[in-house]
Each structure stands twice: as C-alpha cells, then as structure tokens.
Amino acid sequence: MDKDSPAGGVRGTRPTVTELRLSAFRNHRGAAFPLTPLTLFAGTSGSGKSSALQAYEALARLAAGDGLRDAFPEPEACVPEWAGADAEGRRGFRIGCTVDGPAGPVRLDLAVQAEPGLRIVGERLTCGGRTLLTTALRDPGRSSVQAAWLTAGSVSVTRAPLPDDRLGTALLPLRVAGRTEGQLLVLAAAEQLVVGLRSVFACDPQPRGMRRPVVPGDGRLHGSCDNLAEVLYRTRHQCARRHARLTAAARTGCSGEVAELTVEELADGTLRGLLGRDGGRGTPLARLGEGELRFLGLALVLLTGPGVLAMDPATEVPAAYQSLTVLADGFDRCLDPGQARELVLLAAEMAARGHVRLVGAVSDASFARGVNGVTVVDLVP
C-alpha cells in the first residue's frame, strides 16, 4: 500500500471510462460527457450533476453482475418527464459509455424499460466500427432478450437468449468459447468494458456517523466513511507513507495545528480518532466541523486504494490492468473554498500518478478552475 506508482502497470494500458452518454435519462437528453482522470460536474440543484454520477454507478454495478433492480432501485424516477409511453404503455431510459483500452474504444449502449416492468430491452456493444453484441426484446411475455454476438467463423453470428435483468456484456465470458477471431474480439472488448467499469468506489462522507467511536472490523473504509477511526488505525500501522501524507493534508483542511492523526482505544474496545496537537493534546474527531470531517474522509479515499476501500474489485484481473475510479457526489459539500481547493489539488496529484480517477459533482467549481488536470463540465438546469 506504500508504493507510489501503479503496481507494475504502464500508464495508458488500463481500461478506463472516457465518455458517459445519457441519451435519455432523468433531465438529460442526447448528452455525451467526456471523462478525464479528474472530472467535476458543476451546476446548481436540478442541473443533473448527481444524475450523471448515478448513471455511472449503475453501469458499474451492472458490469459487476448486479441485477437491474440493484442498479436502479427507483427506475421510474430515471425516465425523463418528456418521454411518452408507446402503444403498449412502455416507458424507459437510455444510457451508455465508452471504455478505452488495449482493444481500442469500446462502446456500450443500453435501453432499459422502467414501466410497466423493469427490464433491459436493448443492448449494443461495438468496437472499431464493428457490432460485437446486440440484444433485443422479441417476446414481452418472456423474461429474456434475444442476443446475437459476432462469431466470424463458419457462422457469422451466434444467437441465444440472455436474461433481461442482467447486462449481456458481463455474461459473454461465460457464453463465448473464444475459438474464432470474432469470438476473441468479442471477449477482449467485453473484458475491457467490464474491467473499466467495475473498479468504482462511490463515496459520500457522513459527518454524523464519522463522529461515533467504531467497533474494530476488517479495516476497509465504507462509502459513508463512518468507520474512519478504524481505517486510520490501519493506515497508521500498515501504510506509514500514506498516513503521513494524510496527516499533511489534515494540516491544510483542519483548523489549528495538527501534529499527527492518531487513534485511541476506549474502555469498551471501540476506537475513536484524534487530531494530535503539539504538547501531547488531542482533539477527538467528534469535535470537528462537518467540513473538516468530510475533508478527512475524502482525502483518505483519494490516498488509499481497493485494498483499503470497501469495494469489490475485479480480483480475477491483475491490479496493473485496473483503474480505480472514485465517484463523489457533493464533493464540495460543507467545504470552504480553501478546503475544496486543497482536496482537488490532492486529487489531481493522485490522478497524475495513476493511482485514482475521480468523477465528482460540485455546486460551484470556481475553486478547481485553473488546476492542472481538472476538467469541469458545466451543467445548466
């Protein structure tokens, strides 16, 4: 955890999501957003910045094998207000993305029916101008879609039914033999897309939970950062270099002098975090402001990785082939401009090293403009 370079990786070889498409999703219509290593969606309430992160996270969950209901717990809310129903009363939404990597740009486009029932009604996987996979709902009475994927052998395509509540691309490695040139291309593109999407950690630090002492567990940081003290204990003992970097960040994001970040064990066995002050004094994290706690939580996320974050990376794929992406809705919430700028500078540093990619949502991106490596996407309601 203390290495400062990607584990054995060469930059540019890792599958990464480079475009998010919201063709018809909530208040977005025909939208395509380029994604760089550090992208901030900026806009007022109702501009659609949180919707963009929701769509990204949903695609990541589908790529990891989750069902539609887990990826879209409130699917009706994802349907644009202007989207009318067809003759059978069906309404839905359309999203997609592009993942760049060794196979070249791989595009996924997905059409989801939300009403009257939740199901995938169309999926298309393309690479290099070739259609590798298509699915379509042929019989509304069946819980499956008809899929066709490239074979390029004695038979040009293979046709078979796939479940209508799972991403077909994620199922291809179980269905494609990989004997022909076409099948190998399909497998390479599917793997690239799945790996590029899967390594996602969605976080939104919640100060109320972060103030409570925590019971020691597995030492993996939750998305709400409510077990911050537990993870600080782990980084202090196992990741000295990263912990020192976090302490340095705390000096810029927390008020007063900060000598160290430490943890004490209480009489009941729980742990609480402290800001160590000069002279041996300590300020419990429970006494910090909401902005200070959110700053510490986000800084810790940016400085760690899949081994510390409570996420399910693609363990069957070498770490050098993966790229961690942090999704941070309300990235600037409760932060003053100075805290927000220090945090985005830290994010830019880690992104430049290849440790992490960040997609965040902010209400005002003025603190980030002019920072090298930051892309700001301005949204208007």
PDB file of all heavy atoms in Angstrom, residues 211-216 228-230 232-234 236-237 243 260-276 280-287:
ATOM      1  N   ARG A 211     -18.453  10.728  13.623  1.00  0.00           N
ATOM      2  CA  ARG A 211     -18.149  11.212  14.969  1.00  0.00           C
ATOM      3  C   ARG A 211     -18.217  10.106  16.021  1.00  0.00           C
ATOM      4  O   ARG A 211     -17.680  10.251  17.112  1.00  0.00           O
ATOM      5  CB  ARG A 211     -19.116  12.334  15.348  1.00  0.00           C
ATOM      6  CG  ARG A 211     -18.899  13.628  14.581  1.00  0.00           C
ATOM      7  CD  ARG A 211     -19.656  14.779  15.211  1.00  0.00           C
ATOM      8  NE  ARG A 211     -19.235  16.046  14.643  1.00  0.00           N
ATOM      9  CZ  ARG A 211     -19.845  16.667  13.658  1.00  0.00           C
ATOM     10  NH1 ARG A 211     -20.942  16.133  13.131  1.00  0.00           N
ATOM     11  NH2 ARG A 211     -19.400  17.811  13.188  1.00  0.00           N
ATOM     12  N   ARG A 212     -18.888   9.012  15.717  1.00  0.00           N
ATOM     13  CA  ARG A 212     -19.078   7.961  16.714  1.00  0.00           C
ATOM     14  C   ARG A 212     -17.840   7.068  16.802  1.00  0.00           C
ATOM     15  O   ARG A 212     -17.207   6.760  15.786  1.00  0.00           O
ATOM     16  CB  ARG A 212     -20.283   7.101  16.355  1.00  0.00           C
ATOM     17  CG  ARG A 212     -21.579   7.862  16.155  1.00  0.00           C
ATOM     18  CD  ARG A 212     -22.730   6.868  16.019  1.00  0.00           C
ATOM     19  NE  ARG A 212     -23.952   7.536  15.556  1.00  0.00           N
ATOM     20  CZ  ARG A 212     -24.400   7.497  14.306  1.00  0.00           C
ATOM     21  NH1 ARG A 212     -23.738   6.807  13.398  1.00  0.00           N
ATOM     22  NH2 ARG A 212     -25.505   8.126  13.971  1.00  0.00           N
ATOM     23  N   PRO A 213     -17.502   6.581  18.019  1.00  0.00           N
ATOM     24  CA  PRO A 213     -16.474   5.541  18.127  1.00  0.00           C
ATOM     25  C   PRO A 213     -16.921   4.301  17.358  1.00  0.00           C
ATOM     26  O   PRO A 213     -18.122   4.039  17.225  1.00  0.00           O
ATOM     27  CB  PRO A 213     -16.408   5.267  19.641  1.00  0.00           C
ATOM     28  CG  PRO A 213     -16.949   6.511  20.279  1.00  0.00           C
ATOM     29  CD  PRO A 213     -18.007   7.016  19.340  1.00  0.00           C
ATOM     30  N   VAL A 214     -15.972   3.546  16.837  1.00  0.00           N
ATOM     31  CA  VAL A 214     -16.321   2.410  15.991  1.00  0.00           C
ATOM     32  C   VAL A 214     -15.748   1.115  16.558  1.00  0.00           C
ATOM     33  O   VAL A 214     -14.697   1.106  17.200  1.00  0.00           O
ATOM     34  CB  VAL A 214     -15.816   2.614  14.545  1.00  0.00           C
ATOM     35  CG1 VAL A 214     -16.476   3.822  13.924  1.00  0.00           C
ATOM     36  CG2 VAL A 214     -14.308   2.752  14.501  1.00  0.00           C
ATOM     37  N   VAL A 215     -16.475   0.035  16.284  1.00  0.00           N
ATOM     38  CA  VAL A 215     -16.002  -1.296  16.666  1.00  0.00           C
ATOM     39  C   VAL A 215     -15.000  -1.751  15.617  1.00  0.00           C
ATOM     40  O   VAL A 215     -15.270  -1.655  14.417  1.00  0.00           O
ATOM     41  CB  VAL A 215     -17.186  -2.284  16.746  1.00  0.00           C
ATOM     42  CG1 VAL A 215     -16.680  -3.694  17.072  1.00  0.00           C
ATOM     43  CG2 VAL A 215     -18.197  -1.820  17.788  1.00  0.00           C
ATOM     44  N   PRO A 216     -13.838  -2.249  16.010  1.00  0.00           N
ATOM     45  CA  PRO A 216     -12.862  -2.713  15.019  1.00  0.00           C
ATOM     46  C   PRO A 216     -13.457  -3.792  14.123  1.00  0.00           C
ATOM     47  O   PRO A 216     -14.155  -4.692  14.585  1.00  0.00           O
ATOM     48  CB  PRO A 216     -11.720  -3.270  15.885  1.00  0.00           C
ATOM     49  CG  PRO A 216     -11.855  -2.572  17.195  1.00  0.00           C
ATOM     50  CD  PRO A 216     -13.328  -2.370  17.390  1.00  0.00           C
ATOM     51  N   LEU A 228     -14.160   5.747   9.901  1.00  0.00           N
ATOM     52  CA  LEU A 228     -12.910   6.466   9.642  1.00  0.00           C
ATOM     53  C   LEU A 228     -11.838   6.128  10.667  1.00  0.00           C
ATOM     54  O   LEU A 228     -10.680   5.876  10.314  1.00  0.00           O
ATOM     55  CB  LEU A 228     -13.182   7.972   9.634  1.00  0.00           C
ATOM     56  CG  LEU A 228     -11.968   8.895   9.429  1.00  0.00           C
ATOM     57  CD1 LEU A 228     -11.416   8.722   8.027  1.00  0.00           C
ATOM     58  CD2 LEU A 228     -12.357  10.351   9.670  1.00  0.00           C
ATOM     59  N   ALA A 229     -12.197   6.094  11.972  1.00  0.00           N
ATOM     60  CA  ALA A 229     -11.210   5.839  13.017  1.00  0.00           C
ATOM     61  C   ALA A 229     -10.565   4.472  12.845  1.00  0.00           C
ATOM     62  O   ALA A 229      -9.354   4.308  13.026  1.00  0.00           O
ATOM     63  CB  ALA A 229     -11.868   5.952  14.389  1.00  0.00           C
ATOM     64  N   GLU A 230     -11.366   3.470  12.497  1.00  0.00           N
ATOM     65  CA  GLU A 230     -10.843   2.122  12.285  1.00  0.00           C
ATOM     66  C   GLU A 230      -9.811   2.094  11.167  1.00  0.00           C
ATOM     67  O   GLU A 230      -8.761   1.447  11.277  1.00  0.00           O
ATOM     68  CB  GLU A 230     -11.996   1.171  11.970  1.00  0.00           C
ATOM     69  CG  GLU A 230     -11.560  -0.231  11.625  1.00  0.00           C
ATOM     70  CD  GLU A 230     -12.655  -1.030  10.947  1.00  0.00           C
ATOM     71  OE1 GLU A 230     -13.744  -0.489  10.700  1.00  0.00           O
ATOM     72  OE2 GLU A 230     -12.389  -2.216  10.652  1.00  0.00           O
ATOM     73  N   LEU A 232      -8.100   4.692  10.001  1.00  0.00           N
ATOM     74  CA  LEU A 232      -6.926   5.461  10.417  1.00  0.00           C
ATOM     75  C   LEU A 232      -5.980   4.585  11.236  1.00  0.00           C
ATOM     76  O   LEU A 232      -4.757   4.688  11.103  1.00  0.00           O
ATOM     77  CB  LEU A 232      -7.351   6.682  11.236  1.00  0.00           C
ATOM     78  CG  LEU A 232      -8.014   7.823  10.475  1.00  0.00           C
ATOM     79  CD1 LEU A 232      -8.410   8.933  11.437  1.00  0.00           C
ATOM     80  CD2 LEU A 232      -7.100   8.370   9.387  1.00  0.00           C
ATOM     81  N   TYR A 233      -6.541   3.746  12.090  1.00  0.00           N
ATOM     82  CA  TYR A 233      -5.715   2.824  12.876  1.00  0.00           C
ATOM     83  C   TYR A 233      -4.929   1.906  11.936  1.00  0.00           C
ATOM     84  O   TYR A 233      -3.735   1.655  12.143  1.00  0.00           O
ATOM     85  CB  TYR A 233      -6.609   2.004  13.805  1.00  0.00           C
ATOM     86  CG  TYR A 233      -5.851   1.029  14.670  1.00  0.00           C
ATOM     87  CD1 TYR A 233      -5.325   1.424  15.906  1.00  0.00           C
ATOM     88  CD2 TYR A 233      -5.650  -0.288  14.271  1.00  0.00           C
ATOM     89  CE1 TYR A 233      -4.620   0.530  16.703  1.00  0.00           C
ATOM     90  CE2 TYR A 233      -4.946  -1.187  15.053  1.00  0.00           C
ATOM     91  CZ  TYR A 233      -4.436  -0.777  16.272  1.00  0.00           C
ATOM     92  OH  TYR A 233      -3.739  -1.655  17.056  1.00  0.00           O
ATOM     93  N   ARG A 234      -5.585   1.424  10.902  1.00  0.00           N
ATOM     94  CA  ARG A 234      -4.920   0.528   9.952  1.00  0.00           C
ATOM     95  C   ARG A 234      -3.829   1.247   9.173  1.00  0.00           C
ATOM     96  O   ARG A 234      -2.710   0.734   9.035  1.00  0.00           O
ATOM     97  CB  ARG A 234      -5.950  -0.064   8.995  1.00  0.00           C
ATOM     98  CG  ARG A 234      -5.337  -0.953   7.934  1.00  0.00           C
ATOM     99  CD  ARG A 234      -6.372  -1.502   6.981  1.00  0.00           C
ATOM    100  NE  ARG A 234      -5.730  -2.272   5.922  1.00  0.00           N
ATOM    101  CZ  ARG A 234      -6.373  -2.821   4.899  1.00  0.00           C
ATOM    102  NH1 ARG A 234      -7.676  -2.698   4.807  1.00  0.00           N
ATOM    103  NH2 ARG A 234      -5.716  -3.499   3.980  1.00  0.00           N
ATOM    104  N   ARG A 236      -2.209   3.920   9.933  1.00  0.00           N
ATOM    105  CA  ARG A 236      -1.118   4.367  10.814  1.00  0.00           C
ATOM    106  C   ARG A 236      -0.115   3.242  11.062  1.00  0.00           C
ATOM    107  O   ARG A 236       1.086   3.492  11.207  1.00  0.00           O
ATOM    108  CB  ARG A 236      -1.702   4.862  12.131  1.00  0.00           C
ATOM    109  CG  ARG A 236      -0.702   5.591  13.032  1.00  0.00           C
ATOM    110  CD  ARG A 236      -1.419   6.374  14.102  1.00  0.00           C
ATOM    111  NE  ARG A 236      -0.489   7.187  14.870  1.00  0.00           N
ATOM    112  CZ  ARG A 236       0.020   6.814  16.043  1.00  0.00           C
ATOM    113  NH1 ARG A 236      -0.303   5.656  16.574  1.00  0.00           N
ATOM    114  NH2 ARG A 236       0.863   7.621  16.692  1.00  0.00           N
ATOM    115  N   HIS A 237      -0.605   1.999  11.103  1.00  0.00           N
ATOM    116  CA  HIS A 237       0.266   0.878  11.414  1.00  0.00           C
ATOM    117  C   HIS A 237       0.769   0.145  10.168  1.00  0.00           C
ATOM    118  O   HIS A 237       1.806  -0.508  10.223  1.00  0.00           O
ATOM    119  CB  HIS A 237      -0.463  -0.117  12.326  1.00  0.00           C
ATOM    120  CG  HIS A 237      -0.674   0.391  13.717  1.00  0.00           C
ATOM    121  ND1 HIS A 237      -1.736   1.198  14.057  1.00  0.00           N
ATOM    122  CD2 HIS A 237       0.065   0.234  14.842  1.00  0.00           C
ATOM    123  CE1 HIS A 237      -1.657   1.500  15.343  1.00  0.00           C
ATOM    124  NE2 HIS A 237      -0.581   0.941  15.844  1.00  0.00           N
ATOM    125  N   HIS A 243      -0.165   7.430   5.431  1.00  0.00           N
ATOM    126  CA  HIS A 243      -0.692   8.065   6.644  1.00  0.00           C
ATOM    127  C   HIS A 243      -0.021   9.412   6.883  1.00  0.00           C
ATOM    128  O   HIS A 243      -0.683  10.384   7.277  1.00  0.00           O
ATOM    129  CB  HIS A 243      -0.486   7.157   7.857  1.00  0.00           C
ATOM    130  CG  HIS A 243      -1.215   7.608   9.078  1.00  0.00           C
ATOM    131  ND1 HIS A 243      -2.549   7.315   9.314  1.00  0.00           N
ATOM    132  CD2 HIS A 243      -0.818   8.375  10.124  1.00  0.00           C
ATOM    133  CE1 HIS A 243      -2.925   7.854  10.460  1.00  0.00           C
ATOM    134  NE2 HIS A 243      -1.895   8.510  10.972  1.00  0.00           N
ATOM    135  N   GLU A 260      -0.326  15.180  14.340  1.00  0.00           N
ATOM    136  CA  GLU A 260      -0.494  13.831  13.817  1.00  0.00           C
ATOM    137  C   GLU A 260      -1.963  13.446  13.830  1.00  0.00           C
ATOM    138  O   GLU A 260      -2.794  14.090  14.483  1.00  0.00           O
ATOM    139  CB  GLU A 260       0.318  12.825  14.649  1.00  0.00           C
ATOM    140  CG  GLU A 260      -0.131  12.740  16.113  1.00  0.00           C
ATOM    141  CD  GLU A 260       0.621  11.666  16.879  1.00  0.00           C
ATOM    142  OE1 GLU A 260       1.191  10.767  16.237  1.00  0.00           O
ATOM    143  OE2 GLU A 260       0.612  11.740  18.122  1.00  0.00           O
ATOM    144  N   LEU A 261      -2.283  12.402  13.100  1.00  0.00           N
ATOM    145  CA  LEU A 261      -3.595  11.759  13.159  1.00  0.00           C
ATOM    146  C   LEU A 261      -3.416  10.455  13.903  1.00  0.00           C
ATOM    147  O   LEU A 261      -2.604   9.612  13.494  1.00  0.00           O
ATOM    148  CB  LEU A 261      -4.119  11.473  11.746  1.00  0.00           C
ATOM    149  CG  LEU A 261      -4.824  12.606  11.006  1.00  0.00           C
ATOM    150  CD1 LEU A 261      -5.067  12.188   9.556  1.00  0.00           C
ATOM    151  CD2 LEU A 261      -6.131  12.959  11.680  1.00  0.00           C
ATOM    152  N   THR A 262      -4.128  10.296  15.000  1.00  0.00           N
ATOM    153  CA  THR A 262      -3.934   9.114  15.802  1.00  0.00           C
ATOM    154  C   THR A 262      -5.280   8.522  16.205  1.00  0.00           C
ATOM    155  O   THR A 262      -6.336   9.105  15.940  1.00  0.00           O
ATOM    156  CB  THR A 262      -3.087   9.430  17.056  1.00  0.00           C
ATOM    157  OG1 THR A 262      -2.779   8.222  17.736  1.00  0.00           O
ATOM    158  CG2 THR A 262      -3.838  10.378  17.983  1.00  0.00           C
ATOM    159  N   VAL A 263      -5.225   7.360  16.833  1.00  0.00           N
ATOM    160  CA  VAL A 263      -6.434   6.647  17.240  1.00  0.00           C
ATOM    161  C   VAL A 263      -6.214   6.115  18.649  1.00  0.00           C
ATOM    162  O   VAL A 263      -5.118   5.632  18.971  1.00  0.00           O
ATOM    163  CB  VAL A 263      -6.743   5.476  16.277  1.00  0.00           C
ATOM    164  CG1 VAL A 263      -7.974   4.699  16.738  1.00  0.00           C
ATOM    165  CG2 VAL A 263      -6.954   5.996  14.863  1.00  0.00           C
ATOM    166  N   GLU A 264      -7.236   6.201  19.487  1.00  0.00           N
ATOM    167  CA  GLU A 264      -7.138   5.613  20.819  1.00  0.00           C
ATOM    168  C   GLU A 264      -8.234   4.585  21.021  1.00  0.00           C
ATOM    169  O   GLU A 264      -9.333   4.706  20.469  1.00  0.00           O
ATOM    170  CB  GLU A 264      -7.219   6.690  21.894  1.00  0.00           C
ATOM    171  CG  GLU A 264      -8.554   7.372  22.040  1.00  0.00           C
ATOM    172  CD  GLU A 264      -8.592   8.308  23.240  1.00  0.00           C
ATOM    173  OE1 GLU A 264      -7.657   8.252  24.068  1.00  0.00           O
ATOM    174  OE2 GLU A 264      -9.563   9.073  23.355  1.00  0.00           O
ATOM    175  N   GLU A 265      -7.909   3.554  21.787  1.00  0.00           N
ATOM    176  CA  GLU A 265      -8.877   2.515  22.112  1.00  0.00           C
ATOM    177  C   GLU A 265      -9.556   2.864  23.428  1.00  0.00           C
ATOM    178  O   GLU A 265      -8.879   3.096  24.440  1.00  0.00           O
ATOM    179  CB  GLU A 265      -8.198   1.153  22.221  1.00  0.00           C
ATOM    180  CG  GLU A 265      -9.175   0.011  22.463  1.00  0.00           C
ATOM    181  CD  GLU A 265      -8.503  -1.352  22.454  1.00  0.00           C
ATOM    182  OE1 GLU A 265      -7.292  -1.413  22.158  1.00  0.00           O
ATOM    183  OE2 GLU A 265      -9.189  -2.350  22.760  1.00  0.00           O
ATOM    184  N   LEU A 266     -10.876   2.911  23.409  1.00  0.00           N
ATOM    185  CA  LEU A 266     -11.645   3.241  24.597  1.00  0.00           C
ATOM    186  C   LEU A 266     -11.853   2.002  25.465  1.00  0.00           C
ATOM    187  O   LEU A 266     -11.560   0.868  25.054  1.00  0.00           O
ATOM    188  CB  LEU A 266     -12.981   3.852  24.190  1.00  0.00           C
ATOM    189  CG  LEU A 266     -12.889   5.111  23.308  1.00  0.00           C
ATOM    190  CD1 LEU A 266     -14.275   5.625  22.949  1.00  0.00           C
ATOM    191  CD2 LEU A 266     -12.066   6.199  23.990  1.00  0.00           C
ATOM    192  N   ALA A 267     -12.381   2.215  26.667  1.00  0.00           N
ATOM    193  CA  ALA A 267     -12.533   1.123  27.633  1.00  0.00           C
ATOM    194  C   ALA A 267     -13.423   0.010  27.117  1.00  0.00           C
ATOM    195  O   ALA A 267     -13.251  -1.160  27.485  1.00  0.00           O
ATOM    196  CB  ALA A 267     -13.082   1.678  28.952  1.00  0.00           C
ATOM    197  N   ASP A 268     -14.382   0.346  26.264  1.00  0.00           N
ATOM    198  CA  ASP A 268     -15.300  -0.681  25.749  1.00  0.00           C
ATOM    199  C   ASP A 268     -14.757  -1.373  24.494  1.00  0.00           C
ATOM    200  O   ASP A 268     -15.471  -2.162  23.867  1.00  0.00           O
ATOM    201  CB  ASP A 268     -16.670  -0.076  25.459  1.00  0.00           C
ATOM    202  CG  ASP A 268     -16.622   1.041  24.419  1.00  0.00           C
ATOM    203  OD1 ASP A 268     -15.511   1.353  23.940  1.00  0.00           O
ATOM    204  OD2 ASP A 268     -17.682   1.617  24.109  1.00  0.00           O
ATOM    205  N   GLY A 269     -13.522  -1.085  24.119  1.00  0.00           N
ATOM    206  CA  GLY A 269     -12.919  -1.736  22.962  1.00  0.00           C
ATOM    207  C   GLY A 269     -13.124  -1.022  21.652  1.00  0.00           C
ATOM    208  O   GLY A 269     -12.566  -1.442  20.629  1.00  0.00           O
ATOM    209  N   THR A 270     -13.906   0.048  21.651  1.00  0.00           N
ATOM    210  CA  THR A 270     -14.118   0.795  20.418  1.00  0.00           C
ATOM    211  C   THR A 270     -12.952   1.757  20.179  1.00  0.00           C
ATOM    212  O   THR A 270     -12.137   2.025  21.071  1.00  0.00           O
ATOM    213  CB  THR A 270     -15.431   1.584  20.468  1.00  0.00           C
ATOM    214  OG1 THR A 270     -15.402   2.478  21.591  1.00  0.00           O
ATOM    215  CG2 THR A 270     -16.623   0.640  20.611  1.00  0.00           C
ATOM    216  N   LEU A 271     -12.893   2.273  18.951  1.00  0.00           N
ATOM    217  CA  LEU A 271     -11.824   3.178  18.555  1.00  0.00           C
ATOM    218  C   LEU A 271     -12.378   4.555  18.245  1.00  0.00           C
ATOM    219  O   LEU A 271     -13.473   4.677  17.680  1.00  0.00           O
ATOM    220  CB  LEU A 271     -11.111   2.639  17.310  1.00  0.00           C
ATOM    221  CG  LEU A 271     -10.508   1.239  17.390  1.00  0.00           C
ATOM    222  CD1 LEU A 271     -10.006   0.808  16.015  1.00  0.00           C
ATOM    223  CD2 LEU A 271      -9.381   1.185  18.408  1.00  0.00           C
ATOM    224  N   ARG A 272     -11.645   5.573  18.606  1.00  0.00           N
ATOM    225  CA  ARG A 272     -12.006   6.932  18.199  1.00  0.00           C
ATOM    226  C   ARG A 272     -10.770   7.639  17.686  1.00  0.00           C
ATOM    227  O   ARG A 272      -9.658   7.441  18.167  1.00  0.00           O
ATOM    228  CB  ARG A 272     -12.665   7.716  19.325  1.00  0.00           C
ATOM    229  CG  ARG A 272     -11.747   8.164  20.434  1.00  0.00           C
ATOM    230  CD  ARG A 272     -12.453   9.167  21.338  1.00  0.00           C
ATOM    231  NE  ARG A 272     -11.587   9.631  22.415  1.00  0.00           N
ATOM    232  CZ  ARG A 272     -11.940  10.583  23.288  1.00  0.00           C
ATOM    233  NH1 ARG A 272     -13.151  11.144  23.193  1.00  0.00           N
ATOM    234  NH2 ARG A 272     -11.097  10.968  24.225  1.00  0.00           N
ATOM    235  N   GLY A 273     -10.971   8.453  16.665  1.00  0.00           N
ATOM    236  CA  GLY A 273      -9.871   9.171  16.060  1.00  0.00           C
ATOM    237  C   GLY A 273      -9.581  10.469  16.768  1.00  0.00           C
ATOM    238  O   GLY A 273     -10.479  11.096  17.370  1.00  0.00           O
ATOM    239  N   LEU A 274      -8.333  10.885  16.703  1.00  0.00           N
ATOM    240  CA  LEU A 274      -7.901  12.125  17.338  1.00  0.00           C
ATOM    241  C   LEU A 274      -7.011  12.916  16.392  1.00  0.00           C
ATOM    242  O   LEU A 274      -6.247  12.337  15.611  1.00  0.00           O
ATOM    243  CB  LEU A 274      -7.100  11.843  18.616  1.00  0.00           C
ATOM    244  CG  LEU A 274      -7.779  11.106  19.764  1.00  0.00           C
ATOM    245  CD1 LEU A 274      -6.743  10.737  20.812  1.00  0.00           C
ATOM    246  CD2 LEU A 274      -8.874  11.971  20.377  1.00  0.00           C
ATOM    247  N   LEU A 275      -7.126  14.228  16.476  1.00  0.00           N
ATOM    248  CA  LEU A 275      -6.126  15.103  15.887  1.00  0.00           C
ATOM    249  C   LEU A 275      -5.117  15.400  16.976  1.00  0.00           C
ATOM    250  O   LEU A 275      -5.433  16.059  17.968  1.00  0.00           O
ATOM    251  CB  LEU A 275      -6.753  16.404  15.395  1.00  0.00           C
ATOM    252  CG  LEU A 275      -7.581  16.397  14.112  1.00  0.00           C
ATOM    253  CD1 LEU A 275      -7.971  17.824  13.754  1.00  0.00           C
ATOM    254  CD2 LEU A 275      -6.828  15.751  12.966  1.00  0.00           C
ATOM    255  N   GLY A 276      -3.899  14.881  16.820  1.00  0.00           N
ATOM    256  CA  GLY A 276      -2.870  15.153  17.809  1.00  0.00           C
ATOM    257  C   GLY A 276      -2.372  16.575  17.676  1.00  0.00           C
ATOM    258  O   GLY A 276      -2.073  17.038  16.568  1.00  0.00           O
ATOM    259  N   GLY A 280       1.155  17.233  23.176  1.00  0.00           N
ATOM    260  CA  GLY A 280       0.535  15.986  23.616  1.00  0.00           C
ATOM    261  C   GLY A 280      -0.967  16.030  23.707  1.00  0.00           C
ATOM    262  O   GLY A 280      -1.601  15.026  24.060  1.00  0.00           O
ATOM    263  N   ARG A 281      -1.578  17.168  23.430  1.00  0.00           N
ATOM    264  CA  ARG A 281      -3.039  17.242  23.483  1.00  0.00           C
ATOM    265  C   ARG A 281      -3.640  16.531  22.273  1.00  0.00           C
ATOM    266  O   ARG A 281      -2.986  16.340  21.260  1.00  0.00           O
ATOM    267  CB  ARG A 281      -3.509  18.697  23.496  1.00  0.00           C
ATOM    268  CG  ARG A 281      -3.053  19.484  24.713  1.00  0.00           C
ATOM    269  CD  ARG A 281      -3.522  20.928  24.645  1.00  0.00           C
ATOM    270  NE  ARG A 281      -2.959  21.616  23.484  1.00  0.00           N
ATOM    271  CZ  ARG A 281      -3.668  22.014  22.436  1.00  0.00           C
ATOM    272  NH1 ARG A 281      -4.970  21.758  22.383  1.00  0.00           N
ATOM    273  NH2 ARG A 281      -3.080  22.650  21.442  1.00  0.00           N
ATOM    274  N   GLY A 282      -4.893  16.157  22.390  1.00  0.00           N
ATOM    275  CA  GLY A 282      -5.590  15.528  21.285  1.00  0.00           C
ATOM    276  C   GLY A 282      -7.016  16.021  21.191  1.00  0.00           C
ATOM    277  O   GLY A 282      -7.699  16.174  22.216  1.00  0.00           O
ATOM    278  N   THR A 283      -7.474  16.298  19.978  1.00  0.00           N
ATOM    279  CA  THR A 283      -8.855  16.723  19.755  1.00  0.00           C
ATOM    280  C   THR A 283      -9.624  15.570  19.116  1.00  0.00           C
ATOM    281  O   THR A 283      -9.276  15.139  18.004  1.00  0.00           O
ATOM    282  CB  THR A 283      -8.918  17.947  18.821  1.00  0.00           C
ATOM    283  OG1 THR A 283      -8.186  19.035  19.391  1.00  0.00           O
ATOM    284  CG2 THR A 283     -10.367  18.372  18.592  1.00  0.00           C
ATOM    285  N   PRO A 284     -10.641  15.036  19.806  1.00  0.00           N
ATOM    286  CA  PRO A 284     -11.419  13.948  19.204  1.00  0.00           C
ATOM    287  C   PRO A 284     -12.049  14.401  17.887  1.00  0.00           C
ATOM    288  O   PRO A 284     -12.484  15.552  17.751  1.00  0.00           O
ATOM    289  CB  PRO A 284     -12.495  13.651  20.265  1.00  0.00           C
ATOM    290  CG  PRO A 284     -11.919  14.163  21.549  1.00  0.00           C
ATOM    291  CD  PRO A 284     -11.105  15.368  21.172  1.00  0.00           C
ATOM    292  N   LEU A 285     -12.112  13.493  16.917  1.00  0.00           N
ATOM    293  CA  LEU A 285     -12.730  13.832  15.641  1.00  0.00           C
ATOM    294  C   LEU A 285     -14.188  14.241  15.817  1.00  0.00           C
ATOM    295  O   LEU A 285     -14.724  14.982  14.993  1.00  0.00           O
ATOM    296  CB  LEU A 285     -12.636  12.641  14.679  1.00  0.00           C
ATOM    297  CG  LEU A 285     -11.227  12.186  14.272  1.00  0.00           C
ATOM    298  CD1 LEU A 285     -11.312  11.140  13.169  1.00  0.00           C
ATOM    299  CD2 LEU A 285     -10.366  13.357  13.828  1.00  0.00           C
ATOM    300  N   ALA A 286     -14.817  13.784  16.900  1.00  0.00           N
ATOM    301  CA  ALA A 286     -16.212  14.130  17.151  1.00  0.00           C
ATOM    302  C   ALA A 286     -16.403  15.628  17.330  1.00  0.00           C
ATOM    303  O   ALA A 286     -17.515  16.146  17.156  1.00  0.00           O
ATOM    304  CB  ALA A 286     -16.729  13.391  18.388  1.00  0.00           C
ATOM    305  N   ARG A 287     -15.330  16.342  17.683  1.00  0.00           N
ATOM    306  CA  ARG A 287     -15.427  17.783  17.910  1.00  0.00           C
ATOM    307  C   ARG A 287     -15.175  18.606  16.648  1.00  0.00           C
ATOM    308  O   ARG A 287     -15.293  19.828  16.663  1.00  0.00           O
ATOM    309  CB  ARG A 287     -14.443  18.205  19.007  1.00  0.00           C
ATOM    310  CG  ARG A 287     -14.720  17.549  20.360  1.00  0.00           C
ATOM    311  CD  ARG A 287     -13.708  18.015  21.387  1.00  0.00           C
ATOM    312  NE  ARG A 287     -13.830  19.445  21.631  1.00  0.00           N
ATOM    313  CZ  ARG A 287     -14.645  19.994  22.528  1.00  0.00           C
ATOM    314  NH1 ARG A 287     -15.443  19.231  23.258  1.00  0.00           N
ATOM    315  NH2 ARG A 287     -14.673  21.303  22.709  1.00  0.00           N
TER     316      ARG A 287
END
